[in-house]
Amino acid sequence: MAFRITTWNVNGIRNPFQYQPWRDKRQFETMFEILEADIIIFQETKIQRKDLRDDMVLVPGWDCFWSLPRHKKGYSGVVIYTRQSVCAPIRAEEGITGVLCPPNSLTSFSELPTAQQIGGYPTITQLASSAIDAATIDSEGRCVILEFPAFVLLGVYSPANRDESRDEFRLGFLSLLDARIRNLVSLGKRVIVTGDMNISREKIDNANAEASMRKQGITEVEYISAPSRRLFNQLLEGGNVLGERDEGRDTPALWDICRAFHPGRKGMFTCWDLKTNARPGNCGARIDYVLCSLAMKDWISGSDIQEGLMGSDHCPVYATIRQKVSMDGRDVDILDVMNPGGMFLHGLRQREYSARDILPLSGKLIPEFDGRRSIRDMFSRKASLLQPQSKDKSELGACKEPCSIENPLQMSPTIISKKHSINEVIPDSLSPVDKKQSFGETLTTKPLKRAKLSSSTTTPATSSKGQQSLNVFFKPKAVPTSGIDIASPDHKEELSQSNTDKITSGGDFLETAKITEVHTSGVQSPKNMTISPTHATSRTPEDETSAVISLINSQSPSSAYDLVENKDSWSKLFTKPAAPRCESHHEPCISLTTKKSGMNCGRSFWLCPRPLGPSGAKERNTEWRCPTFIWCSDWNSTAARDSVQEGPWLGSGSPALGD
């Protein structure tokens, strides 16, 4: 059985649950089973410690190790999940420099006793090469390091190349990461690096490489020699390094596993721009990696991307390790070297995972979760004690729907019969004071439904609940009762002739019938209008419709109050204009907003709804996105609408969507 390691930038720890196949059960345990991995590394968790929950920390059968940002809340973050049935780390650290401290300790990782260190920490000279201090580098929750007897695993989330203000931090992080990896390899330790490096190695790893070079006005040599890309390629075997290597980086240290198994594969991308819907056309970049030290090449049996799994703007990337690996000149089972000594022998478990195997950095030891169990585990042991103790199950079976015993007032009166005492219905957990109350009497004395008002009962006007919607402004005040005596000729209301076509036997009729009075010149509201609920309820909808129509026909159209026409005119003011249709496909366009700084920042525009094609450019007369571009302000104007009626209309000044 192969051992699998999977890395995935989830863009928010709960983000995958918005997609299939994770949406149905929304459990991390189920997600891990679908991923079929033994170690899972998530980047960009975007969560604070106070927002951690049981379902993401106390996953049955899994341990977890978190690195959360110290200052920027809801930003970056890395977590490594390990399946306890097959692996257990012997050491765990947070950060790449060793300046952070273990939980409940004031001693940094780099100053711990040698037996407790992972080792390979950057030297003073290496730390001085970074323009950013070590504490700041490790303050954003970008790295978790686990050590197994077989290798050292690094889960990394490298800073992205957003703007020039972060260039120093980005290069400082990559420089110290390079130093830590090389130091570990020089100590004779095997290393596996996983995560989102936010760097595409070469042109084959980026669909927009050519467009990016044209936009920046640089050559291919300058593109390959970008500082971050050059540093990364010097770390990898076969990396494209132009010119002489930098000092201290004379030899490569890592092997790009996925590219080694698919050397000439094009379109092997792991990240796509969701704003431009670039994933269907596979216009993306490969920036997520599983890398290993050169001494582990023969350990790896396969690697690939899982572009079909949705859940983020990235897709998972995995690598599998053989069941039998070579260590110190002998073949051993992978399980023997993925656990503390004595736990496995020849692939067979010798002892169970216990509390002594939990490391200080484990999520299970976070004070909020220490000594607790998963809520699902609590309910899986024994049935709840809050069940009726009645021996006569046939009478209690009369309730067809589940009833909560904790709230007997919600139970049907047929459940509590005279043959059952209160003690048989009320659980023992209730106080004696609560048991004294007769629920049977309560249910009979307190009606479940308010009785209807009789014809002789007068109800005072009550205040409404306030504005419920904008429609309140366009409706006359309704009569507080359900019927109107429209037979009296002295108190007829003036209605529009146009309403005769709008009265039906449904909601429109009831809404029209509720109109009480219209204050017009020379007409006063009647004071002796009487409401007859009895008559209203005895009439059929057909009778009331005929009566209202005859009343409408007897009125003057000039003095009518046309409610529907007034409502329609106001509705047109708040109706959004119809979306224009694109040039090639004649499909309704989508609206986006320009975020690039400049004179057009914040302006909205219409765009073809189709995704970008594999070329990354807009294409005419193809199945991919066409060049249609219209500023929303131009489309809303009358001139733009008139011109569009004659045919597809294209604007100018399209912003660069790839920015």
Side-chain angles (χ1 to χ4, degrees):
M1 184 180 77
F3 189 94
R4 176 176 287 195
I5 300 175
T6 296
T7 177
W8 191 10
N9 183 321
V10 292
N11 194 23
I13 188 68
R14 291 195 182 277
N15 189 50
F17 294 135
Q18 302 178 32
Y19 302 83
Q20 291 291 2
W22 333 105
R23 184 187 303 169
D24 293 335
K25 293 190 176 181
R26 295 177 176 267
Q27 294 178 356
F28 286 91
E29 184 180 7
T30 304
M31 178 194 296
F32 298 162
E33 294 301 325
I34 294 176
L35 290 174
E36 298 180 340
D38 302 300
I39 297 178
I40 299 174
I41 304 98
F42 286 156
Q43 301 90 44
E44 208 169 355
T45 56
K46 293 183 178 180
I47 195 170
Q48 306 176 40
R49 175 171 166 175
K50 68 180 182 65
D51 296 325
L52 294 176
R53 294 295 180 264
D54 290 3
D55 65 325
M56 64 180 68
V57 176
L58 304 177
V59 182
W62 292 78
D63 203 351
C64 57
F65 304 87
W66 298 81
S67 179
L68 304 175
R70 297 298 197 271
H71 308 296
K72 294 185 177 182
K73 307 303 181 183
Y75 175 80
S76 64
V78 175
V79 60
I80 299 180
Y81 288 93
T82 59
R83 191 190 297 269
Q84 294 173 327
S85 62
V86 295
C87 63
I90 57 177
R91 298 180 186 88
E93 292 184 6
E94 178 185 6
I96 59 177
T97 63
V99 299
L100 300 181
C101 300
N104 304 320
S105 175
L106 298 178
T107 305
S108 63
F109 289 109
S110 60
E111 296 177 352
L112 291 174
T114 305
Q116 301 178 23
Q117 293 182 0
I118 293 180
Y121 306 104
T123 63
I124 296 178
T125 303
Q126 291 171 333
L127 291 174
S129 64
S130 172
I132 309 297
D133 63 281
T136 303
I137 291 289
D138 284 341
S139 67
E140 294 190 359
R142 293 186 175 274
C143 184
V144 174
I145 306 178
L146 302 182
E147 183 176 8
F148 302 88
F151 53 79
V152 177
L153 174 67
L154 287 81
V156 178
Y157 175 48
S158 177
N161 186 20
R162 300 298 183 190
D163 51 61
E164 296 179 356
S165 63
R166 295 277 290 176
D167 284 350
E168 285 190 351
F169 184 92
R170 174 180 167 87
L171 291 176
F173 180 91
L174 292 173
S175 176
L176 294 180
L177 177 63
D178 176 87
R180 183 72 186 270
I181 293 171
R182 293 182 181 276
N183 292 348
L184 287 170
V185 173
S186 64
L187 292 176
K189 296 190 176 185
R190 301 170 186 82
V191 179
I192 292 182
V193 180
T194 65
D196 178 4
M197 303 301 296
N198 268 310
I199 302 173
S200 54
R201 287 182 55 184
E202 301 182 41
K203 288 175 56 178
I204 192 176
D205 297 312
N206 192 340
N208 291 320
E210 294 285 352
S212 179
M213 286 186 282
R214 288 196 302 267
K215 177 182 175 183
Q216 300 178 29
I218 60 177
T219 63
E220 184 175 348
V221 173
E222 293 173 319
Y223 176 82
I224 296 297
S225 301
S228 58
R229 186 171 290 106
R230 175 180 172 83
L231 193 156
F232 186 53
N233 278 324
Q234 291 184 90
L235 185 63
L236 301 178
E237 183 182 53
N240 191 355
V241 181
L242 302 179
E244 296 183 359
R245 287 178 170 266
D246 299 341
E247 183 180 357
R249 303 186 178 109
D250 301 329
T251 58
L254 297 178
W255 188 49
D256 187 351
I257 301 176
C258 199
R259 179 54 72 188
F261 278 88
H262 310 277
R265 179 176 168 186
K266 296 182 179 180
M268 191 171 63
F269 304 136
T270 64
C271 178
W272 302 267
D273 187 0
L274 296 184
K275 294 181 180 178
T276 58
N277 195 21
R279 188 163 186 172
N282 195 29
C283 180
R286 187 173 77 98
I287 59 178
D288 302 88
Y289 300 87
V290 179
L291 315 170
C292 71
S293 54
L294 304 181
M296 296 182 64
K297 281 186 177 182
D298 58 346
W299 286 33
I300 310 301
S301 60
S303 178
D304 205 348
I305 65 174
Q306 295 178 282
E307 68 275 20
L309 287 178
M310 308 297 289
S312 170
D313 54 342
H314 295 245
C315 75
V317 182
Y318 73 87
T320 55
I321 302 176
R322 303 180 189 277
Q323 185 67 34
K324 298 289 185 178
V325 296
S326 178
M327 286 188 64
D328 302 328
R330 61 189 182 91
D331 291 341
V332 297
D333 194 283
I334 187 62
L335 299 183
D336 295 356
V337 292
M338 289 302 296
N339 293 274
M343 185 172 288
F344 277 85
L345 181 62
H346 304 304
L348 301 177
R349 181 175 289 277
Q350 304 298 308
R351 67 177 180 86
E352 294 297 327
Y353 186 89
S354 61
R356 67 176 182 174
D357 299 311
I358 301 179
L359 301 178
L361 196 64
S362 170
K364 296 180 181 294
L365 296 184
I366 297 177
E368 297 91 308
F369 306 97
D370 187 14
R372 294 175 54 191
R373 293 179 299 162
S374 168
I375 294 180
R376 190 166 62 89
D377 291 343
M378 296 180 184
F379 287 98
S380 63
R381 294 188 61 185
K382 290 184 179 181
S384 176
L385 296 177
L386 297 180
Q387 294 182 356
Q389 301 177 2
S390 172
K391 298 180 180 179
D392 192 353
K393 298 182 180 179
S394 60
E395 297 186 14
L396 290 179
C399 182
K400 296 182 179 180
E401 298 182 0
C403 300
S404 174
I405 301 301
E406 296 181 26
N407 189 4
L409 292 179
Q410 296 180 356
M411 298 173 58
S412 172
T414 59
I415 298 178
I416 307 178
S417 63
K418 296 181 180 179
K419 294 181 180 180
H420 297 84
S421 63
I422 290 300
N423 291 333
E424 292 177 337
V425 178
I426 307 175
D428 295 337
S429 59
L430 295 180
S431 62
V433 178
D434 297 332
K435 291 183 179 181
K436 292 181 180 180
Q437 183 178 0
S438 173
F439 294 109
E441 295 177 2
T442 305
L443 289 172
T444 55
T445 56
K446 184 177 180 179
L448 297 178
K449 206 169 186 180
R450 183 176 297 178
K452 294 184 179 180
L453 296 176
S454 61
S455 57
S456 59
T457 306
T458 58
T459 305
T462 58
S463 59
S464 63
K465 295 182 180 180
Q467 178 182 343
Q468 302 297 324
S469 67
L470 195 62
N471 292 334
V472 175
F473 288 104
F474 311 116
K475 294 181 180 179
K477 186 176 179 181
V479 177
T481 52
S482 60
I484 300 178
D485 188 1
I486 60 175
S488 176
D490 297 333
H491 305 298
K492 294 181 178 180
E493 298 177 347
E494 296 184 358
L495 300 176
S496 172
Q497 180 68 24
S498 62
N499 283 339
T500 58
D501 298 331
K502 302 181 181 294
I503 298 179
T504 63
S505 60
D508 293 340
F509 167 76
L510 296 178
E511 181 179 357
T512 307
K514 289 182 179 180
I515 301 177
T516 59
E517 54 186 343
V518 180
H519 298 279
T520 57
S521 58
V523 179
Q524 297 183 357
S525 59
K527 297 181 180 180
N528 57 348
M529 177 179 290
T530 59
I531 308 300
S532 177
T534 304
H535 294 168
T537 55
S538 61
R539 294 179 180 176
T540 63
E542 291 78 5
D543 296 339
E544 293 190 0
T545 303
S546 301
V548 173
I549 292 177
S550 62
L551 177 62
I552 292 174
N553 293 332
S554 64
Q555 302 302 316
S556 173
S558 60
S559 60
Y561 183 92
D562 196 342
L563 174 64
V564 177
E565 189 173 314
N566 182 52
K567 183 177 180 180
D568 291 343
S569 62
W570 277 95
S571 299
K572 293 178 181 178
L573 293 177
F574 301 99
T575 301
K576 294 183 179 180
R581 296 185 176 272
C582 65
E583 174 187 8
S584 298
H585 316 105
H586 302 287
E587 297 176 357
C589 294
I590 58 174
S591 177
L592 300 176
T593 303
T594 306
K595 294 186 178 180
K596 182 179 179 180
S597 58
M599 60 181 298
N600 290 325
C601 182
R603 291 186 66 185
S604 299
F605 55 92
W606 296 102
L607 208 63
C608 176
R610 301 226 176 167
L612 287 172
S615 65
K618 301 173 184 178
E619 306 171 4
R620 295 181 185 272
N621 302 322
T622 66
E623 60 178 322
W624 305 112
R625 176 171 294 173
C626 66
T628 301
F629 176 85
I630 307 174
W631 289 113
C632 289
S633 56
D634 295 340
W635 171 250
N636 293 338
S637 64
T638 305
R641 295 194 191 185
D642 294 341
S643 61
V644 157
Q645 291 176 358
E646 300 177 0
W649 183 85
L650 298 178
S652 59
S654 173
L657 297 178
D659 296 344

